[in-house]
Amino acid sequence: MTRNIPLGLKIFGGVVGMLLIMPTLVVIPMSFSASPLLKFPPEGFSLHWYGVFFTDPLWSSAALRSIQIAALTTVLSLLLGTGTALAMIRGRFRGKSPIQVLILSPIIMPIVVLAVGLYFVYSDWKILGSVGGLVLAHTVIAYPLVYISLSTALKALDSKLEDASASLGASKAYTFRRITLPLITPGLLTGALFAFTMSWDELILSIFLTGPTVKTLPVVMWDQVQTELSPTLAVAATIVMLVTIVLIMCALLIGTRRKALKP
Amino acid sequence: MTQTQLRQPLTMTATGGELRIANVRKSYGNSRGVESVSIDVRPGEFLTMLGPSGSGKTTTLNLVAGFLDPDEGSITLDGKELSGVPPHLRGIGMVFQQYALFPHMTIEENVDYPLRVRKIHRAERKSLVAAALELVQLTDYAKRKPSELSGGQQQRVALARAFVFKPRLLLMDEPLGALDKKLREAMQIEITRICRELGATVVYVTHDQEEALAMSDRIAIYNAGRIEQLGTAEDLYKRPETLFVADFVGESTVIKGSYAKGALVHHGRSLSTQGAHGSVAEGSAAAVVIRPEDLTVVPATQTAAIPEALNTLEATVTKCVYLGQSRKCLLTTATGLVINARIPLHAPPELFNPGDSATVTWDPANSVLVPSD
Ligand SMILES: Nc1ncnc2c1ncn2[C@@H]1O[C@H](COP(=O)(O)OP(=O)(O)O)[C@@H](O)[C@H]1O
Ligand SMILES: [Mg+2]
């Protein structure tokens, strides 16, 4: 695919890419700093701040909390996204396009507006600062991603295969288990990875909706940047970035494998 | 109805079921699917639905398979009403035009699928799958994925998968439509052989006339959501009942006019229909249909030898194509009628060059009289 791109354009693209990614990458050397001050370029080399990150309950519990919320968000998004995608692609009813717009609207909507709205609803319902509330909020913006990835997979799936399965004696449930599910699994995994990533580094909703006891990793980082600038912040940033990169790589890998499988 | 009631024991060899489609109607919202279709398919029969695209063949198959519900009418298999029985409990095998093989399973797993669904014992499944793959000559491909097979091979897998569970009825919707001509002809023979060996009742759909003639016991000609005529290839060819069938099957010449006193009046010219097959009402619009091989073409200069009892029309040769045993020629009369004839290779050379004048003659007893519109 890269065959037809002229060399000059490739170099230009590479430079722009590097410039965009550089500020992100500076946190890596900074996280290995030996000095107690967060600055660039870093002074010395030590793993001291990694030790602090994993032992200080402020950081480690926030990291665990983030994983918990992202995992729950993923599960909930998968259930909702799969259900909606199945209904939208396989169902026969009118008014699909307005419903589609509604499903995708959280992606287009400014998140800060959603955050303010949820803030007032949550304080009325008294679920501000709860894990459940946060999971729900993250699901609102994560499940459209699952929906997109799944409806794409379902659209690509030939419905004749399901007819064939029925003609061979399989019930609807059996067909779903043996035919539909295996064929949409790559789409399901991709959706799950996107949902997890979305929740994992989400800050705006989390700032509005977390409380003093339930804090996610990005929120703690935000707090710390305003109070105490220690290299632990760089450690946290590095870890957030690494997890995200690994997840996105997995999603891309699934995508290319799926393409390779097609006849 | 339970699954066991509808399924036949797998140890038995398949015997064909008797399918009755009675006055079935199905519309899609405002658009017509089929209107009042009735067919009785005899046990073990190979019946083909032949007709132009959009005439309702697929709709009929989907109604039988249970993917659609009829608005009216009834469909029974061996006397049991099928409406209300979901597709997976009908025990009807189906072969789809685009094969519809499961891409994530090997050939073997594809063929094994209907047996696994039925919870057949492992050892029996293994031998049934092996036997099915042998019948379609794909034993060596058992471990491959569908994407690694050619179109013809994939279609044979689809066939094996559809009959391995010994359905009493096998439906095939243009199974050879995606294959090239040569492969298609080989597969026609293959499918006919396999179906004969199985003894299953087969309902086969195609829009290819030659395919229908080559494979079927009987053929149902579809047109605009209805069956125009149901009969053997010979019935349809020699004794068409409607203008559509006459036109659709073979390459006949159709002469339209009005019928009066044992003759067809075509542009003021009276053509005898003495002894012709078929009958129409006196004074009604009618057409005479003549097969190419029943037409004789003679040079315009040799008309004296034509017997009195034969019909004649003067025409001009417009085009001739050499076919090996004869020439296929198109002639046009002064009234614009197009005549489709075969001219023997030994015919005088002044007959098959465009612009040559000729006289076309036929025995009225060899023509067919059908109502016209
Ligand atoms: N899902 C559908 N929705 C609306 N109209 C349909 C649908 N399927 C078929 N039709 C219409 O029904 C008629 C018969 O179609 P079909 O049975 O597919 O014909 P064939 O198989 O003979 O080509 C056609 O006019 C077609 O447009
Ligand atoms: Mg069709």
Side-chain angles (χ1 to χ4, degrees):
Chain A
M1 255 214 280
T2 49
R3 218 175 339 147
N4 298 326
I5 301 172
L7 185 66
L9 196 60
K10 270 191 208 168
I11 293 171
F12 177 74
V15 170
V16 170
M18 283 307 285
L19 284 176
L20 288 175
I21 232 169
M22 277 299 226
T24 324
L25 294 181
V26 297
V27 300
I28 298 174
M30 281 162 76
S31 70
F32 293 107
S33 169
S35 115
L37 286 176
L38 183 65
K39 57 179 181 181
F40 190 78
E43 286 166 7
F45 177 88
S46 86
L47 288 175
H48 173 74
W49 304 107
Y50 279 84
V52 171
F53 181 87
F54 287 109
T55 49
D56 184 345
L58 173 74
W59 291 104
S60 56
S61 69
L64 285 177
R65 185 67 78 199
S66 271
I67 292 174
Q68 179 201 17
I69 287 173
L72 289 172
T73 300
T74 305
V75 171
L76 194 59
S77 301
L78 276 182
L79 289 176
L80 276 174
T82 311
T84 328
L86 274 173
M88 289 289 286
I89 303 297
R90 288 279 181 268
R92 290 190 199 133
F93 52 88
R94 283 164 170 277
K96 275 192 184 171
S97 5
I99 297 175
Q100 167 108 347
V101 171
L102 207 67
I103 293 169
L104 298 180
S105 61
I107 294 184
I108 310 151
M109 188 99 92
I111 292 189
V112 69
V113 177
L114 184 67
V116 172
L118 284 177
Y119 179 82
F120 287 109
V121 174
Y122 279 19
S123 55
D124 184 50
W125 290 357
K126 310 226 173 355
I127 52 168
L128 263 185
S130 68
V131 171
L134 217 53
V135 167
L136 219 59
H138 283 181
T139 302
V140 170
I141 57 167
Y143 107 98
L145 299 177
V146 176
Y147 169 80
I148 291 174
S149 134
L150 247 124
S151 55
T152 313
L154 278 171
K155 261 186 229 154
L157 177 76
D158 184 2
S159 66
K160 280 268 170 295
L161 294 180
E162 288 163 341
D163 283 353
S165 172
S167 83
L168 295 168
S171 65
K172 282 225 159 86
Y174 192 100
T175 300
F176 185 78
R177 213 153 22 96
R178 294 280 176 172
I179 307 299
T180 317
L181 204 55
L183 291 174
I184 61 171
T185 297
L188 218 63
L189 284 178
T190 313
L193 289 170
F194 281 142
F196 192 96
T197 314
M198 182 64 120
S199 164
W200 171 247
D201 74 348
E202 204 290 322
L203 180 63
I204 303 176
L205 288 173
S206 307
I207 287 180
F208 276 80
L209 304 174
T210 46
T213 52
V214 175
K215 281 200 163 126
T216 62
L217 195 49
V219 171
V220 170
M221 289 167 71
W222 171 250
D223 287 350
Q224 291 297 302
V225 113
Q226 296 168 32
T227 53
E228 156 196 11
L229 277 176
S230 95
T232 327
L233 187 59
V235 172
T238 304
I239 287 171
V240 167
M241 178 171 70
L242 279 182
V243 169
T244 308
I245 287 176
V246 167
L247 292 178
I248 296 294
M249 294 283 271
C250 288
L252 287 178
L253 218 63
I254 293 168
T256 42
R257 269 206 48 206
R258 180 159 40 161
K259 250 179 241 144
L261 273 178
K262 284 261 160 80
Chain B
M1 211 170 288
T2 68
Q3 195 155 349
T4 38
Q5 271 177 295
L6 272 167
R7 214 201 312 136
Q8 122 163 22
L10 279 138
T11 44
M12 269 170 59
T13 48
T15 46
E18 182 179 29
L19 175 72
R20 307 197 115 170
I21 304 173
N23 304 313
V24 162
R25 192 177 66 80
K26 171 74 191 173
S27 57
Y28 301 95
N30 292 330
S31 92
R32 160 194 60 69
V34 293
E35 290 168 23
S36 189
V37 162
S38 300
I39 316 177
D40 285 355
V41 190
R42 300 165 191 153
E45 184 176 29
F46 195 116
L47 185 132
T48 297
M49 297 175 178
L50 171 67
S53 172
S55 58
K57 308 179 296 291
T58 297
T59 303
T60 310
L61 275 201
N62 284 336
L63 287 165
V64 174
F67 302 130
L68 293 175
D69 291 321
D71 299 334
E72 272 171 35
S74 94
I75 301 172
T76 62
L77 183 56
D78 291 332
K80 289 183 200 102
E81 175 62 49
L82 287 182
S83 74
V85 182
H88 72 281
L89 297 181
R90 292 192 178 194
I92 296 173
M94 182 140 180
V95 178
F96 296 83
Q97 180 169 6
Q98 297 299 336
Y99 323 135
L101 297 179
F102 306 132
H104 57 303
M105 297 182 185
T106 62
I107 298 316
E108 199 173 47
E109 287 165 347
N110 264 280
V111 178
D112 190 33
Y113 188 84
L115 305 176
R116 280 188 77 153
V117 169
R118 287 169 172 76
K119 301 200 169 65
I120 312 274
H121 192 270
R122 190 188 204 87
E124 193 184 351
R125 269 170 32 206
K126 215 170 160 178
S127 71
L128 283 171
V129 169
L133 285 179
E134 199 178 316
L135 195 56
V136 296
Q137 295 161 3
L138 285 175
T139 307
D140 297 341
Y141 297 82
K143 304 283 183 217
R144 299 215 194 163
K145 286 278 175 68
S147 58
E148 296 167 292
L149 265 59
S150 73
Q153 290 170 331
Q154 290 188 48
Q155 194 53 280
R156 298 212 303 266
V157 177
L159 192 61
R161 190 181 64 174
F163 70 63
V164 71
F165 63 100
K166 304 208 166 73
R168 289 158 304 167
L169 176 62
L170 205 51
L171 309 176
M172 300 192 219
D173 193 356
E174 308 208 18
L176 309 181
L179 305 181
D180 61 59
K181 189 169 160 54
K182 212 167 166 170
L183 191 53
R184 210 160 59 216
E185 281 167 5
M187 284 293 293
Q188 287 169 11
I189 296 169
E190 192 101 325
I191 289 179
T192 320
R193 168 183 71 86
I194 292 167
C195 291
R196 291 265 182 281
E197 270 176 52
L198 290 170
T201 305
V202 180
V203 178
Y204 189 95
V205 165
T206 181
H207 62 253
D208 181 341
Q209 197 197 122
E210 278 175 43
E211 193 169 300
L213 296 178
M215 300 176 82
S216 330
D217 294 323
R218 285 193 301 160
I219 301 168
I221 304 284
Y222 265 72
N223 179 32
R226 293 174 175 279
I227 293 176
E228 291 264 340
Q229 191 174 347
L230 176 62
T232 63
E234 198 181 330
D235 286 338
L236 299 172
Y237 192 71
K238 292 206 170 143
R239 294 173 287 276
E241 286 164 8
T242 67
L243 190 57
F244 180 85
V245 175
D247 215 14
F248 194 76
V249 182
E251 295 176 306
S252 307
T253 301
V254 176
I255 308 171
K256 292 185 186 177
S258 65
Y259 181 74
K261 300 191 199 84
L264 183 88
V265 183
H266 169 77
H267 287 273
R269 189 70 176 265
S270 181
L271 301 167
S272 165
T273 59
Q274 206 71 49
H277 180 82
S279 62
V280 298
E282 185 75 20
S284 67
V288 160
V289 181
I290 314 136
R291 302 290 154 195
E293 60 270 25
D294 292 328
L295 284 172
T296 310
V297 186
V298 295
T301 51
Q302 297 175 17
T303 49
I306 299 171
E308 203 44 31
L310 301 192
N311 287 317
T312 59
L313 278 177
E314 293 72 44
T316 311
V317 175
T318 47
K319 192 185 175 186
C320 272
V321 181
Y322 178 78
L323 285 184
Q325 295 93 358
S326 65
R327 283 188 174 81
K328 175 177 152 180
C329 292
L330 289 181
L331 301 96
T332 317
T333 65
T335 58
L337 173 73
V338 177
I339 294 167
N340 206 324
R342 294 272 182 281
I343 299 184
L345 293 183
H346 55 73
E350 67 264 30
L351 263 187
F352 34 82
N353 293 312
D356 290 346
S357 305
T359 298
V360 179
T361 83
W362 69 96
D363 183 346
N366 288 336
S367 62
V368 179
L369 190 60
V370 294
S372 172
D373 34 56

